[in-house]
Amino acid sequence: MEDPRETLMINANIEITAAALEAIVRNAKQIVGRNEKGHYRVDTADKVGEMISQFLFEKDFESYAEDIENFPK
């Protein structure tokens, strides 16, 4: 992902719906297609991380994190 700001790679446990995960896996497989042996060669866990990162940048998570009212109670 191209972004002029300095970023860090973190590992986090997050909660998403099964439907969201199924959609990511289905779409990732559709994009890469099958190889000559009929297997899909895509790391869906990496795709989950890429999608969440993209979403956080597009929705300005930095500003969201700055607002103390957004912190879980």
Side-chain angles (χ1 to χ4, degrees):
M1 178 173 358
E2 301 280 333
D3 193 280
R5 297 171 286 184
E6 182 178 344
T7 62
L8 303 169
M9 182 69 68
I10 64 164
N11 292 315
N13 295 319
I14 61 164
E15 187 173 348
I16 64 172
T17 64
L21 181 57
E22 289 169 357
I24 292 169
V25 171
R26 180 179 59 251
N27 289 329
K29 286 180 174 181
Q30 184 177 342
I31 290 168
V32 300
R34 295 178 186 262
N35 67 11
E36 64 280 348
K37 293 184 179 181
H39 299 111
Y40 294 101
R41 303 298 290 178
V42 61
D43 187 332
T44 53
D46 282 347
K47 288 297 175 197
V48 171
E50 290 171 10
M51 290 195 68
I52 291 170
S53 292
Q54 179 179 336
F55 179 84
L56 294 174
F57 278 111
E58 289 176 2
K59 302 300 181 185
D60 192 19
F61 184 71
E62 191 173 332
S63 293
Y64 181 85
E66 291 287 339
D67 186 347
I68 197 166
E69 294 300 316
N70 291 324
F71 279 74
K73 310 279 187 271

